[in-house]
């Protein structure tokens, strides 16, 4: 016993002394500073292979997909992979009752069957440049951006802050407007497990869809045209079909959206003890109302499926975040860190006081914005009325209204209004309920009674009512006017996070700078802000609970075990059942634990966040081994603190993607243009 403990202690010390944690989201242009660590962990390529402005590099095969996800180019003819949930809107927009691609899936039989997706854009990074000195030297950001945009056809450019503005980077992109749907599995594969399994490991979702980028005949970005041809990328990913094993190096290349690695204890306190808990409780109420209605009525189940998924996604994430922050003791750790900083940097200690004072000034305002968004703004009908009152273009009003009322149930909305109006009053900080709103509630006997009055008297709960009637004369117009000050308030506080409110953020600039000078051991990476990043780590299981180890790979057996035609989230297509019974897996079969099966998903220690959905996950040779799509919910605190023991990103194994394309989709011809190794 003692010996074993001692050995463990020694091991821990040894590991602690040599290994650098797998955390961080690194700017590709600076990846040379990480290359030694990456190579010691199994990476075989060079920094220039990852990012180069002189030659084609892996960055040329990564795209920002639809402004919020990532995708990867996998053929010399612009074939693109991303998640099913990232392609969802485009697939939905192409679907109709006769062609329900969400339910049935879709595979283009030839190039002419590839379906243009109106409004869908992908952006490829041309280059990034540290322009901190140029800006300090007096150049204007607008002029730099304008010059960059003029460099080429379809160019877009933006300046982004790193380390709260201590550094500024220019990002130059080529934006492609002609993107077409090539194929998608049915939702019963692409969304298998649905909300039940969302943020959960073990996982069995085939969360992928296939698109193609088109360009003008001279290979430039161009608006949709029949004359366009498949884009010929500077670089595409090669695909490894050899699979992965526990401990193997993995790297992820994509567009993470938002992390807050350097926030102080005040901000952690706000997240874990106020913001998240309140939002979770409010969404629990909304979800209960929706779910109950869905169980009673099959039509409502479909109407509210996407809304339920969106509400539940963050709801579940926040719960994991709160648990994770508590488990790691992040708040106490931050406090101790700040105390040490103040003690060792007496001349800088005022920065923490200034930050603290700035939070005191802004927390109520930011909280009110979040509360408003989660309560009064979550009531749907008045939102439509407000939109209709402002709409100038009648045709657009009709289109938006048609889309809205298709998936609207006034009974649900009324029930939500009753709850959310009273919750707003209960939770609003002193003096923040607008007088006009208090007066409305008082005149009708309270918030709930007022909600009933509103839904009894409004004629805006139907398409005809809204399009044929006069929104500004409706009962709801009174409500909209009463909450208008809250809309204005919310827009004044519409920053990415509480800590990005300018009055707070300006103190982070000197604080983070001081941290970087003081804390020499720490590897500082700039917080995620939807710019291109590299994160790396390894394939790894984890201890989910005492004595409960979760292995890193799932297989087809797990899908079959969950399969149940009576459970919507687990009802797989018959074709998958058939392939399973025949065991005709073709080249995609593997032997695992002495059975023949197909790999489905795996997990790794890559530091990821929202926006990394669809990101290419690569092996040490830079070959594609999977597509990132999620994290385990107990690890979502990695947006604030990354913990190597617990944090895992979830990836659909590229071999499952290929298996589904080939064996289920019958679109094996797509594999001919890929390079499989
Ligand atoms: N949790 C993943 C993400 O944050 C997947 C969300 C889509 N899937 C779902 N079942 N709602 O975006
Ligand atoms: N599903 C997320 C997305 O859409 C990625 C999961 C995460 O937050 O890690 O980007």
């Amino acid at each position: 016993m003692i010996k074993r403990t001692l050995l463990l202690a020694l091991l821990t010390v040894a590991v602690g002394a040599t290994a650098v944690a797998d955390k961080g989201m690194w700017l590709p242009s600076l990846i040379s500073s990480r290359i030694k660590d990456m190579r010691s962990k199994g990476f075989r390529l060079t920094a220039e292979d990852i990012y180069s402005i002189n030659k084609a590099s892996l960055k040329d095969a990564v795209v920002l997909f639809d402004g919020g996800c990532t995708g990867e180019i996998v053929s010399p003819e612009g074939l693109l992979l991303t998640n099913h949930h990232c392609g969802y809107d485009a697939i939905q927009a192409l679907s109709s009752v006769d062609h329900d691609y969400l339910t049935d899936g879709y595979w283009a039989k030839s190039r002419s069957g590839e379906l243009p997706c109106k409004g869908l854009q992908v952006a490829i990074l041309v280059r990034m440049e540290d322009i901190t000195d140029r800006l300090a030297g007096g150049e204007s950001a607008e002029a730099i951006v304008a010059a960059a945009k003029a460099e080429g056809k379809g160019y877009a450019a933006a300046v982004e802050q790193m380390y709260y503005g201590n550094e500024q980077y220019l990002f130059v992109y080529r934006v492609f407007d002609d993107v077409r749907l090539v194929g998608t599995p049915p939702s019963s594969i692409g969304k298998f497990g649905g909300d039940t399994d969302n943020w959960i490991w073990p996982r069995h979702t085939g969360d992928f869809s296939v698109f193609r980028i088109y360009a003008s005949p001279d290979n430039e970005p161009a608006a949709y045209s029949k004359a366009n041809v498949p884009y010929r990328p500077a670089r595409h990913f090669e695909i490894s079909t050899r699979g992965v094993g526990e401990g193997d190096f993995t790297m992820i290349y994509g567009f993470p959206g938002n992390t807050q690695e350097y926030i102080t204890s005040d901000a952690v306190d706000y997240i874990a003890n106020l913001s998240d808990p309140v939002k979770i409780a409010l969404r629990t109420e909304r979800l209960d109302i929706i779910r109950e209605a869905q169980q009673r009525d099959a039509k409502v189940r479909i109407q509210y499926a996407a809304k339920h998924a969106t509400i539940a996604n963050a709801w579940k994430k926040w719960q994991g975040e709160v648990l994770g922050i508590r488990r790691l003791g992040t708040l106490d750790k931050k406090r101790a860190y700040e105390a040490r900083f103040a003690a060792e940097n007496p001349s800088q200690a005022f920065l923490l006081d200034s930050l603290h004072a700035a939070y005191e000034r802004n927390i109520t305002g930011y909280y009110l914005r979040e509360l408003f968004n989660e309560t009064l703004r979550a009531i749907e009908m008045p939102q439509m009325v407000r939109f209709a009152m402002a709409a100038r273009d009648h045709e657009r009003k009709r289109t938006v209204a048609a889309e809205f009322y298709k998936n609207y149930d006034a009974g649900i909305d009324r029930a939500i209004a009753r709850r959310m109006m009273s919750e707003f009053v209960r939770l609003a900080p002193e003096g923040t309920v607008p007088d006009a709103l208090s007066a409305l509630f008082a005149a009708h006997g309270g918030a709930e009674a007022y909600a009933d009055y509103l839904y009894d008297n409004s004629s805006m709960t139907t398409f005809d009512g809204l399009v044929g009637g006069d929104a500004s004369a409706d009962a709801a117009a009174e409500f909209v006017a009463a909450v208008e000050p809250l809309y204005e308030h919310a827009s004044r506080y519409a920053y990415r996070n509480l800590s990005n409110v300018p009055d707070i953020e300006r103190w982070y600039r000197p604080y983070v700078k001081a941290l970087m000078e003081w804390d020499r051991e720490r590897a500082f990476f700039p917080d995620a802000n939807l710019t291109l990043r590299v994160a790396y780590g390894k394939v790894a299981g984890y201890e989910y609970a005492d004595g409960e180890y979760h292995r890193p790979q799932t297989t087809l057996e797990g899908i079959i075990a969950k399969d149940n035609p009576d459970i919507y989230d687990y009802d797989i297509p018959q074709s998958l059942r058939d392939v399973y019974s025949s065991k005709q897996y073709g080249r995609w079969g593997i032997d695992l634990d002495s059975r023949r099966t197909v790999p489905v998903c795996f997990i790794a220690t890559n530091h990821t966040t929202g926006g990394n959905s669809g990101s290419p996950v690569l092996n040490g040779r830079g070959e594609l081994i999977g597509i990132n799509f999620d994290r385990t919910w107990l690890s979502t605190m990695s947006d604030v603190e990354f913990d190597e023991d617990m944090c895992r990103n979830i990836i659909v194994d590229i071999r499952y993607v290929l298996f589904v394309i080939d064996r289920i989709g019958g679109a094996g011809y797509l594999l001919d243009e890929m390079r499989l190794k």
Side-chain angles (χ1 to χ4, degrees):
M1 275 287 264
I2 291 171
K3 249 193 222 155
R4 206 173 149 260
T5 316
L6 185 66
L7 181 67
L8 271 179
L10 283 173
L11 271 175
T12 319
V13 169
V15 169
T18 53
V20 182
D22 289 340
K23 81 163 175 186
M25 302 170 166
W26 309 98
L27 287 169
S29 61
L30 301 179
I31 202 67
S32 57
S33 69
R34 311 298 310 170
I35 262 316
K36 215 173 123 209
D37 185 46
M38 289 172 75
R39 291 190 63 95
S40 77
K41 291 172 175 170
F43 187 58
R44 304 261 167 274
L45 307 179
T46 65
E48 277 272 298
D49 292 321
I50 294 176
Y51 177 92
S52 172
I53 46 168
N54 303 311
K55 59 166 196 169
S57 59
L58 295 180
K59 81 141 179 33
D60 298 311
V62 184
V63 312
L64 176 64
F65 185 90
D66 203 15
C69 275
T70 307
E72 51 275 5
I73 302 173
V74 292
S75 93
E77 296 177 277
L79 199 67
L80 188 69
L81 296 178
T82 186
N83 289 147
H84 182 267
H85 80 260
C86 296
Y88 199 88
D89 287 347
I91 300 165
Q92 184 167 46
L94 289 169
S95 295
S96 63
V97 185
D98 301 336
H99 312 280
D100 185 352
Y101 304 140
L102 285 174
T103 305
D104 304 330
Y106 177 77
W107 295 99
K109 296 274 165 296
S110 66
R111 293 283 155 84
S112 61
E114 299 182 353
L115 307 172
C117 303
K118 219 180 274 159
L120 177 61
Q121 293 185 325
V122 304
I124 301 176
L125 185 73
V126 177
R127 65 186 167 85
M128 52 194 291
E129 182 187 333
D130 183 349
I131 56 165
T132 316
D133 292 342
R134 288 175 64 185
L135 291 177
E139 281 183 69
S140 92
E142 292 73 33
I144 293 176
V145 165
K149 277 190 191 159
E151 279 171 29
K153 195 132 181 266
Y155 273 44
V159 175
E160 302 292 346
Q161 313 287 323
M162 304 292 160
Y163 304 111
Y164 294 92
N166 280 301
E167 293 173 9
Q168 281 100 21
Y169 275 75
L170 171 70
F171 290 83
V172 185
Y173 302 93
R174 281 175 96 192
V175 181
F176 292 85
D177 297 305
D178 189 352
V179 183
R180 304 187 194 175
L181 177 68
V182 173
T184 174
S187 293
S188 51
I189 287 179
K191 221 176 128 60
F192 178 79
D195 280 346
T196 317
D197 284 7
N198 192 23
W199 301 109
I200 296 277
W201 183 258
R203 187 66 155 278
H204 302 90
T205 312
D207 198 344
F208 78 96
S209 52
V210 189
F211 292 82
R212 191 188 304 280
I213 307 172
Y214 279 74
S216 64
D218 54 358
N219 210 32
E220 297 283 351
Y224 168 78
S225 156
K226 271 206 155 77
N228 285 350
V229 295
Y231 169 62
R232 297 180 302 283
R235 181 78 185 250
H236 68 272
F237 286 108
E238 298 180 337
I239 295 174
S240 170
T241 58
R242 289 185 297 265
V244 291
E246 186 138 21
D248 286 354
F249 175 90
T250 60
M251 157 181 155
I252 180 162
Y253 209 162
F255 290 87
N258 185 12
T259 62
Q260 305 188 75
E261 173 82 11
Y262 307 104
I263 52 173
T264 60
S265 50
D266 286 314
V268 177
D269 189 27
Y270 174 73
I271 294 168
N273 296 324
L274 181 60
S275 171
D276 280 3
V278 167
K279 291 186 294 190
I280 292 163
L282 291 168
R283 287 197 179 200
T284 303
E285 296 189 60
R286 273 161 77 198
L287 288 167
D288 284 348
I289 291 168
I290 295 172
R291 198 174 309 119
E292 210 227 306
Q294 284 180 309
Q295 277 158 2
R296 271 187 280 118
D297 186 340
K299 183 170 157 228
V300 170
R301 184 182 59 67
I302 297 167
Q303 282 183 319
Y304 275 70
K307 287 183 202 174
H308 187 280
T310 305
I311 301 167
N313 191 41
W315 169 77
K316 205 160 174 181
K317 188 223 147 171
W318 292 325
Q319 294 177 58
E321 188 166 77
V322 171
L323 272 175
I325 287 174
R326 300 235 162 100
R327 189 178 46 77
L328 292 181
T330 308
L331 188 52
D332 286 341
K333 274 194 251 173
K334 290 269 183 188
R335 286 194 178 123
Y337 186 74
E338 287 153 23
R340 206 151 58 78
F341 172 82
E344 293 178 22
N345 302 278
S347 69
Q348 310 273 11
F350 76 96
L351 292 173
L352 286 165
D353 300 332
S354 302
L355 273 165
H356 182 70
Y359 279 111
E360 299 262 282
R361 283 196 297 276
N362 290 285
I363 278 182
T364 304
Y366 196 79
Y367 168 74
L368 181 61
R369 172 210 171 207
E370 293 205 286
L371 180 67
F372 173 58
N373 286 347
E374 293 292 325
T375 54
L376 302 181
R377 216 176 192 169
I379 307 168
E380 296 184 275
M381 181 268 285
Q383 292 270 104
M384 271 312 286
V385 169
R386 186 169 181 266
F387 161 77
M389 283 163 67
R392 296 263 163 272
D393 176 347
H394 190 71
E395 258 328 290
R396 193 177 125 69
K397 189 167 110 181
R398 279 187 78 91
T399 316
V400 173
E403 196 54 44
F404 173 78
Y405 287 105
K406 196 171 77 188
N407 293 324
Y408 177 73
D409 181 276
I412 293 180
D413 204 29
R414 172 197 292 251
I416 288 178
R418 285 172 57 97
R419 289 311 308 139
M420 293 303 114
M421 287 185 189
S422 33
E423 287 294 52
F424 177 76
V425 173
R426 186 173 74 85
L427 296 164
E430 179 115 30
T432 61
V433 180
D435 291 342
L437 188 62
S438 304
L440 274 183
F441 290 167
H444 292 91
E448 300 214 338
Y450 172 70
D452 281 331
Y453 160 82
L454 179 60
Y455 283 78
D456 286 342
N457 289 282
S458 171
S459 52
M460 299 286 135
T461 54
T462 63
F463 174 81
D464 291 338
L466 186 106
V467 172
D470 177 5
S472 56
D474 190 77
E478 216 180 0
F479 175 75
V480 169
V483 299
E484 198 52 42
L486 292 168
Y487 279 102
E488 279 158 33
H489 176 87
S491 71
R492 273 203 305 284
Y493 274 93
Y495 297 97
R496 202 193 286 265
N497 306 292
L498 166 64
S499 302
N500 300 110
V501 173
D503 186 37
I504 299 175
E505 196 180 66
R506 72 194 165 105
W507 292 107
Y508 271 107
R509 211 161 301 143
Y511 173 63
V512 171
K513 184 162 181 272
L515 286 186
M516 290 167 107
E517 280 156 16
W518 166 66
D519 191 351
R520 295 285 172 182
E521 297 289 289
R522 189 168 179 177
F524 285 85
F525 64 91
D527 273 315
N529 56 3
L530 214 63
T531 58
L532 189 60
R533 304 298 176 91
V534 169
Y536 58 92
K538 58 178 184 292
V539 177
Y542 69 109
E543 191 169 310
Y544 171 76
D546 184 37
E548 203 176 326
Y549 186 72
H550 280 188
R551 293 167 60 179
Q553 178 95 53
T554 57
T555 64
L556 189 51
E557 319 303 306
I559 296 181
I560 298 303
K562 283 177 180 170
D563 175 30
N564 183 340
D566 296 328
I567 302 177
Y568 179 74
D569 285 345
Y570 292 143
D571 182 15
I572 60 173
Q574 189 55 40
S575 52
L576 188 53
R577 289 183 194 118
D578 294 344
V579 174
Y580 176 74
S581 1
S582 76
K583 298 279 180 298
Q584 299 295 309
Y585 302 149
R587 59 189 292 198
W588 315 114
I590 60 164
D591 292 312
L592 194 78
D593 298 341
S594 70
R595 57 172 198 248
R596 194 75 186 152
T597 188
V598 177
V600 176
C601 291
F602 66 95
I603 49 176
T605 62
N606 299 309
H607 192 175
T608 57
T609 189
N612 270 126
S613 274
S615 297
V617 176
L618 311 171
N619 64 16
R621 291 188 178 76
E623 298 155 351
L624 189 67
I625 52 176
I627 309 172
N628 187 73
F629 70 97
D630 210 2
R631 275 175 291 173
T632 61
W633 72 295
L634 282 175
S635 72
T636 54
M637 78 294 179
S638 67
D639 290 350
V640 175
E641 182 184 358
F642 183 89
D643 173 37
E644 223 177 1
D645 292 334
M646 192 49 103
C647 290
R648 297 292 180 271
N649 59 320
I650 305 180
I651 301 140
V652 54
D653 195 307
I654 201 66
R655 294 170 295 173
Y656 185 58
V657 172
L658 298 171
F659 164 81
V660 170
I661 292 176
D662 183 19
R663 310 295 299 175
I664 306 298
Y669 52 87
L670 288 174
L671 275 42
D672 299 341
E673 63 181 284
M674 302 179 192
R675 202 170 137 92
L676 307 185
K677 301 176 100 176

